[in-house]
Amino acid sequence: MRVYARQLYDHLPYLRRYARALTGATERGDDLVTRCVEVAVMAPSRFGLEAGARVPLYALLNLLFDEDGDGLPTPSPHPIERALASLPEGERRMYLLITLEGLTVPEAAQVLQIPAPEGHDRLTVARDKVRNALTQRVLVVEDNPILAMEIGSLVTDMGHVVCGTANNEQEALELLEAEKPTLALLDVRLADGGSGVEVARRLRQKRAMRTIFVTAFDGDLEEADARHLGQIVRKPFTNEAIQAAISRAVFMPSPVALA
């Protein structure tokens, strides 16, 4: 074992990263790597230790994971992990090996024991599915039509969909029911004396939605004890600030619904 200690030591960070993504849990992934090392040192030629290769070790991790039972990852609250978990297992592993581990398609296909052209097909389908799963249906609640249009353009430029624009509470709640948004960008002070804070509370109660306040009146959020309801982008906003807030919202775990 000492002969291969250096090779294994160099591989461990990569194996742990892949195993944790494969299993969906840190402890479960580390247990898988421990088993992988134990098996590999018993047959170093078979698993690439003599050549310093890592590709056979990824294949061994997959094999051991499948032997555990259902071969499925632990459920996760994180959107990207949920999107990946929704993929057929072959597509999920191809995506992880390419995107996370940086393998080439032929190398990943070798790990999965499939022809390289099939690997290309799996990767294309997986990328499309993940992109679609992360695409947000965005509700814009803003009573200034110019700003609403500007925010909407930023949303669509990022590849998301504006499912509706409202300038008061009533319109926002009607759109919530009709369009099923997954993310909302809201002003705090709305037309007809409405409150974006109240809209945010209703959105969280009904759909546990992520919200982003785009406002010049963030003090209103403090007074209403509402800062926990969402991120804050202060007006006048920059394009970068809006886009950064949306990106954070997309990759944040789902919020807990309000009682």
Side-chain angles (χ1 to χ4, degrees):
M1 182 172 178
R2 289 181 181 176
V3 176
Y4 306 110
R6 170 52 58 183
Q7 291 95 319
L8 284 169
Y9 181 81
D10 291 341
H11 291 323
L12 279 179
Y14 304 96
L15 298 179
R16 292 181 71 195
R17 181 175 62 191
Y18 179 67
R20 290 175 176 185
L22 183 66
T23 62
T26 298
E27 185 175 351
R28 193 178 173 195
D30 287 347
D31 287 344
L32 187 63
V33 170
T34 299
R35 291 171 55 206
C36 175
V37 169
E38 291 171 350
V39 172
V41 296
M42 299 300 293
S45 298
R46 179 182 176 187
F47 296 110
L49 296 188
E50 292 182 342
R54 191 161 63 247
V55 167
L57 295 173
Y58 287 127
L60 177 57
L61 286 172
N62 285 340
L63 176 64
L64 294 173
F65 184 47
D66 290 336
E67 288 180 351
D68 282 345
D70 58 13
L72 297 176
T74 301
S76 170
H78 294 274
I80 184 65
E81 293 175 357
R82 288 204 312 272
L84 288 171
S86 70
L87 298 174
E89 192 59 14
E91 293 176 6
R92 185 177 79 94
R93 294 181 188 185
M94 175 61 69
Y95 186 95
L96 290 174
L97 289 166
I98 297 292
T99 305
L100 183 66
E101 295 305 310
L103 270 60
T104 65
V105 171
E107 287 173 337
Q110 180 184 345
V111 171
L112 299 176
Q113 300 181 339
I114 59 174
E118 183 179 342
H120 278 287
D121 292 342
R122 286 190 186 184
L123 180 61
T124 298
V125 171
R127 282 174 169 166
D128 287 344
K129 288 181 178 178
V130 169
R131 181 169 56 251
N132 291 338
L134 295 178
T135 297
Q136 302 295 302
R137 292 178 55 78
V138 181
L139 172 62
V140 178
V141 185
E142 169 60 66
D143 57 9
N144 182 318
I146 302 299
L147 290 181
M149 189 179 343
E150 186 175 348
I151 292 170
S153 294
L154 291 171
V155 168
T156 55
D157 286 347
M158 294 182 71
H160 303 297
V161 176
V162 178
C163 66
T165 302
N167 66 12
N168 58 47
E169 285 186 42
Q170 185 60 38
E171 288 181 4
L173 297 176
E174 289 174 358
L175 286 168
L176 172 66
E177 297 299 329
E179 298 296 336
K180 304 296 187 290
T182 58
L183 173 66
L185 279 73
L186 311 99
D187 194 3
V188 170
R189 296 184 183 179
L190 301 173
D192 305 325
S195 168
V197 173
E198 293 308 312
V199 173
R201 287 196 172 112
R202 292 289 296 276
L203 296 178
R204 183 69 65 87
Q205 287 171 345
K206 287 181 172 290
R207 302 205 58 187
M209 276 179 54
R210 300 175 185 84
T211 54
I212 300 170
F213 293 105
V214 185
T215 180
F217 302 102
D218 49 295
D220 290 8
L221 297 171
E222 191 76 47
E223 292 178 8
D225 191 26
R227 286 184 175 270
H228 64 286
L229 290 176
Q231 301 178 66
I232 301 171
V233 177
R234 291 176 177 80
K235 294 179 179 176
F237 58 78
T238 63
N239 294 356
E240 292 76 14
I242 293 287
Q243 291 169 335
I246 292 173
S247 294
R248 284 192 295 269
V250 169
F251 290 100
M252 286 170 57
S254 299
V256 177
L258 296 178

